[in-house]
Amino acid sequence: MSEDRTMLTEVATGVFRDLCTPEDVVAAETSGWSDRLWAALGSSGFPYVSVPEEAGGSGGDVADACALLAVAGRFAAPVPLAEAGLLGGWLLAAAGLELPVDGPLTASAGRPDDVVELSGGPGAWRLTARVHRVPWGGRSARVALLAPAGGRACVVSAPTAAARVTPGRNLAAEPRDALAWDDVPLADETVASAPAGVDDDALRLRGALGRAALISGALARVSELTLRYTGEREQFGRPIARFQAVQAHLVTIAEEAQLAGLAVEVAARNARPEPGFFDVASAKAVAGEAATVAARASHQAHGAIGMTKEYELGQLTRRLWSWRDEFGSERYWNRVLGRRLADAGADELWPRISTGLVNA
C-alpha cells in the first residue's frame, strides 16, 4: 500500500472509530442515516475520493476509494460512501457535470425493472423515470443516472426534491428507495452526453467492486471479533478457542477474510484507469462466497450473542448478507465469468488465472 493510501486509511479509521461505534450504528438504523458521520466525512473530502480534483473531487484512484470502503465496511458505516464517489461522482465527472454541494450524491445502477426516459433537448430537457432500490435515494440531494436520449446515452444529475420517494430497506436496514420523476424539467447543466466507456456495464463493474471492498472490510472485522470472543469465553474451565471445532471456525473465517481482501486488492490496483471485467467478476464472486461462509462460521462460534442487535457481529453479518447480493450475486458473477472464459477459448484460461496483479 502506498504511503498516501496508508495515511488515507489511518485518518478514515480515526473518523469512523469516533463517530461510527456499534451504538451509533444501532441509533442510525431508525432512519438509516448518520448526519454527524456524513458531515465529518464530507469535511475531510472522503465521499469524493477517486473523483478528479479538476472535477471538484478529492483526487486519488479506484484503489484509494476501495481502501476507504474497506474501512467503512469494518465499521458498518450507514452512509452512501461507495455511491457518492465510485459511482455517482464518476458518472458526473466523466460527463463534465458538477458535483452537488447541497447534499449527498447517490447513483442508480440501472436495474432490469427501471424505466428512464429523457426527452427534449438543450433548454427543454424533461425526465420521466422509475428507478428502484437506490441506496440512500431519499436522503440524497441528487441521483446520478444514465438515460437514453435520441439514440445516445446521457448522464443525468436528477434532483431528489422533484421525485416521489417510496422508502425501502435491505436486510441491514440501509435505505434502498424507489424514486419516480414524472415529466420533470431539468436544467441544461444537469444533463450531458455520456462519453465512451461510461455505460451500464461499467457502472455495474464499479458497483460490484465497491460492494466487494465493503465486504472485505467487514470480514476482517468479523475475524477479529470472533477471535477475541472465543479467546475470552470459557467453557469447562478453558477458553472455547482451545476446542478443535471452534479452532476450525477461526481458521475458516480468517481464510475467507484474506481471500476476499486479496481479490479486492488485485481488482482495485489493476483498475488503471478503469476496473477490468475479469478482476471485478472474480473479486465479487470470491467476496460473496466468503461473506456466506464466514458469517455462518462466526455465528456458530459466537452462539446466541451473535444475533443480538447491540453486538457488533450481527450488524456486520446482516450487511454481508445484503452486500453479497447487490450488484450481482456470487452465482451471477460466476455464471458471467464462466461464459466469458468459455467464449474466449481454452488458450485464454491459464493466462487469466495466472495474471494476478498487473499494476504492482
PDB file of all heavy atoms in Angstrom, residues 240-252:
ATOM      1  N   ILE A 240     -13.014 -21.222  24.832  1.00  0.00           N
ATOM      2  CA  ILE A 240     -13.563 -22.093  23.793  1.00  0.00           C
ATOM      3  C   ILE A 240     -12.694 -22.091  22.534  1.00  0.00           C
ATOM      4  O   ILE A 240     -12.808 -23.000  21.702  1.00  0.00           O
ATOM      5  CB  ILE A 240     -15.014 -21.692  23.440  1.00  0.00           C
ATOM      6  CG1 ILE A 240     -15.067 -20.257  22.874  1.00  0.00           C
ATOM      7  CG2 ILE A 240     -15.925 -21.834  24.645  1.00  0.00           C
ATOM      8  CD1 ILE A 240     -16.450 -19.894  22.360  1.00  0.00           C
ATOM      9  N   ALA A 241     -11.803 -21.109  22.418  1.00  0.00           N
ATOM     10  CA  ALA A 241     -10.889 -21.092  21.269  1.00  0.00           C
ATOM     11  C   ALA A 241      -9.927 -22.277  21.297  1.00  0.00           C
ATOM     12  O   ALA A 241      -9.288 -22.569  20.277  1.00  0.00           O
ATOM     13  CB  ALA A 241     -10.100 -19.792  21.234  1.00  0.00           C
ATOM     14  N   ARG A 242      -9.824 -22.956  22.424  1.00  0.00           N
ATOM     15  CA  ARG A 242      -8.924 -24.106  22.513  1.00  0.00           C
ATOM     16  C   ARG A 242      -9.597 -25.405  22.076  1.00  0.00           C
ATOM     17  O   ARG A 242      -8.935 -26.435  21.976  1.00  0.00           O
ATOM     18  CB  ARG A 242      -8.401 -24.237  23.945  1.00  0.00           C
ATOM     19  CG  ARG A 242      -7.504 -23.061  24.343  1.00  0.00           C
ATOM     20  CD  ARG A 242      -7.047 -23.145  25.778  1.00  0.00           C
ATOM     21  NE  ARG A 242      -6.275 -24.356  26.032  1.00  0.00           N
ATOM     22  CZ  ARG A 242      -5.813 -24.700  27.251  1.00  0.00           C
ATOM     23  NH1 ARG A 242      -6.065 -23.906  28.298  1.00  0.00           N
ATOM     24  NH2 ARG A 242      -5.136 -25.811  27.404  1.00  0.00           N
ATOM     25  N   PHE A 243     -10.902 -25.341  21.795  1.00  0.00           N
ATOM     26  CA  PHE A 243     -11.591 -26.530  21.310  1.00  0.00           C
ATOM     27  C   PHE A 243     -11.378 -26.653  19.800  1.00  0.00           C
ATOM     28  O   PHE A 243     -11.443 -25.669  19.062  1.00  0.00           O
ATOM     29  CB  PHE A 243     -13.085 -26.460  21.633  1.00  0.00           C
ATOM     30  CG  PHE A 243     -13.391 -26.583  23.100  1.00  0.00           C
ATOM     31  CD1 PHE A 243     -13.508 -25.453  23.897  1.00  0.00           C
ATOM     32  CD2 PHE A 243     -13.556 -27.830  23.683  1.00  0.00           C
ATOM     33  CE1 PHE A 243     -13.788 -25.566  25.249  1.00  0.00           C
ATOM     34  CE2 PHE A 243     -13.834 -27.957  25.032  1.00  0.00           C
ATOM     35  CZ  PHE A 243     -13.940 -26.816  25.828  1.00  0.00           C
ATOM     36  N   GLN A 244     -11.170 -27.880  19.361  1.00  0.00           N
ATOM     37  CA  GLN A 244     -10.813 -28.099  17.962  1.00  0.00           C
ATOM     38  C   GLN A 244     -11.890 -27.603  16.991  1.00  0.00           C
ATOM     39  O   GLN A 244     -11.590 -27.012  15.955  1.00  0.00           O
ATOM     40  CB  GLN A 244     -10.540 -29.584  17.718  1.00  0.00           C
ATOM     41  CG  GLN A 244      -9.984 -29.884  16.338  1.00  0.00           C
ATOM     42  CD  GLN A 244      -9.571 -31.343  16.194  1.00  0.00           C
ATOM     43  OE1 GLN A 244      -9.818 -32.162  17.060  1.00  0.00           O
ATOM     44  NE2 GLN A 244      -8.925 -31.661  15.095  1.00  0.00           N
ATOM     45  N   ALA A 245     -13.151 -27.822  17.329  1.00  0.00           N
ATOM     46  CA  ALA A 245     -14.234 -27.402  16.440  1.00  0.00           C
ATOM     47  C   ALA A 245     -14.256 -25.881  16.286  1.00  0.00           C
ATOM     48  O   ALA A 245     -14.481 -25.359  15.182  1.00  0.00           O
ATOM     49  CB  ALA A 245     -15.576 -27.896  16.972  1.00  0.00           C
ATOM     50  N   VAL A 246     -14.021 -25.170  17.376  1.00  0.00           N
ATOM     51  CA  VAL A 246     -14.004 -23.710  17.329  1.00  0.00           C
ATOM     52  C   VAL A 246     -12.777 -23.227  16.555  1.00  0.00           C
ATOM     53  O   VAL A 246     -12.849 -22.268  15.775  1.00  0.00           O
ATOM     54  CB  VAL A 246     -14.032 -23.117  18.750  1.00  0.00           C
ATOM     55  CG1 VAL A 246     -13.922 -21.595  18.696  1.00  0.00           C
ATOM     56  CG2 VAL A 246     -15.312 -23.527  19.470  1.00  0.00           C
ATOM     57  N   GLN A 247     -11.657 -23.893  16.758  1.00  0.00           N
ATOM     58  CA  GLN A 247     -10.451 -23.525  16.010  1.00  0.00           C
ATOM     59  C   GLN A 247     -10.672 -23.665  14.506  1.00  0.00           C
ATOM     60  O   GLN A 247     -10.180 -22.854  13.707  1.00  0.00           O
ATOM     61  CB  GLN A 247      -9.285 -24.408  16.458  1.00  0.00           C
ATOM     62  CG  GLN A 247      -8.805 -24.097  17.865  1.00  0.00           C
ATOM     63  CD  GLN A 247      -7.752 -25.090  18.350  1.00  0.00           C
ATOM     64  OE1 GLN A 247      -7.489 -26.107  17.708  1.00  0.00           O
ATOM     65  NE2 GLN A 247      -7.145 -24.793  19.493  1.00  0.00           N
ATOM     66  N   ALA A 248     -11.430 -24.680  14.108  1.00  0.00           N
ATOM     67  CA  ALA A 248     -11.726 -24.848  12.684  1.00  0.00           C
ATOM     68  C   ALA A 248     -12.527 -23.657  12.152  1.00  0.00           C
ATOM     69  O   ALA A 248     -12.295 -23.175  11.033  1.00  0.00           O
ATOM     70  CB  ALA A 248     -12.501 -26.149  12.462  1.00  0.00           C
ATOM     71  N   HIS A 249     -13.465 -23.158  12.955  1.00  0.00           N
ATOM     72  CA  HIS A 249     -14.224 -21.973  12.556  1.00  0.00           C
ATOM     73  C   HIS A 249     -13.310 -20.759  12.416  1.00  0.00           C
ATOM     74  O   HIS A 249     -13.432 -19.982  11.456  1.00  0.00           O
ATOM     75  CB  HIS A 249     -15.310 -21.670  13.587  1.00  0.00           C
ATOM     76  CG  HIS A 249     -16.446 -22.641  13.590  1.00  0.00           C
ATOM     77  ND1 HIS A 249     -16.971 -23.179  12.432  1.00  0.00           N
ATOM     78  CD2 HIS A 249     -17.168 -23.160  14.618  1.00  0.00           C
ATOM     79  CE1 HIS A 249     -17.967 -23.998  12.747  1.00  0.00           C
ATOM     80  NE2 HIS A 249     -18.097 -24.007  14.062  1.00  0.00           N
ATOM     81  N   LEU A 250     -12.406 -20.583  13.358  1.00  0.00           N
ATOM     82  CA  LEU A 250     -11.499 -19.434  13.324  1.00  0.00           C
ATOM     83  C   LEU A 250     -10.620 -19.459  12.067  1.00  0.00           C
ATOM     84  O   LEU A 250     -10.400 -18.420  11.432  1.00  0.00           O
ATOM     85  CB  LEU A 250     -10.623 -19.419  14.577  1.00  0.00           C
ATOM     86  CG  LEU A 250     -11.349 -19.187  15.904  1.00  0.00           C
ATOM     87  CD1 LEU A 250     -10.365 -19.311  17.068  1.00  0.00           C
ATOM     88  CD2 LEU A 250     -12.036 -17.833  15.932  1.00  0.00           C
ATOM     89  N   VAL A 251     -10.132 -20.636  11.740  1.00  0.00           N
ATOM     90  CA  VAL A 251      -9.301 -20.765  10.537  1.00  0.00           C
ATOM     91  C   VAL A 251     -10.120 -20.457   9.288  1.00  0.00           C
ATOM     92  O   VAL A 251      -9.664 -19.735   8.390  1.00  0.00           O
ATOM     93  CB  VAL A 251      -8.700 -22.183  10.453  1.00  0.00           C
ATOM     94  CG1 VAL A 251      -8.027 -22.390   9.106  1.00  0.00           C
ATOM     95  CG2 VAL A 251      -7.688 -22.395  11.580  1.00  0.00           C
ATOM     96  N   THR A 252     -11.334 -20.984   9.233  1.00  0.00           N
ATOM     97  CA  THR A 252     -12.198 -20.743   8.071  1.00  0.00           C
ATOM     98  C   THR A 252     -12.469 -19.253   7.885  1.00  0.00           C
ATOM     99  O   THR A 252     -12.364 -18.713   6.772  1.00  0.00           O
ATOM    100  CB  THR A 252     -13.532 -21.489   8.241  1.00  0.00           C
ATOM    101  OG1 THR A 252     -13.286 -22.893   8.219  1.00  0.00           O
ATOM    102  CG2 THR A 252     -14.502 -21.131   7.127  1.00  0.00           C
TER     103      THR A 252
END
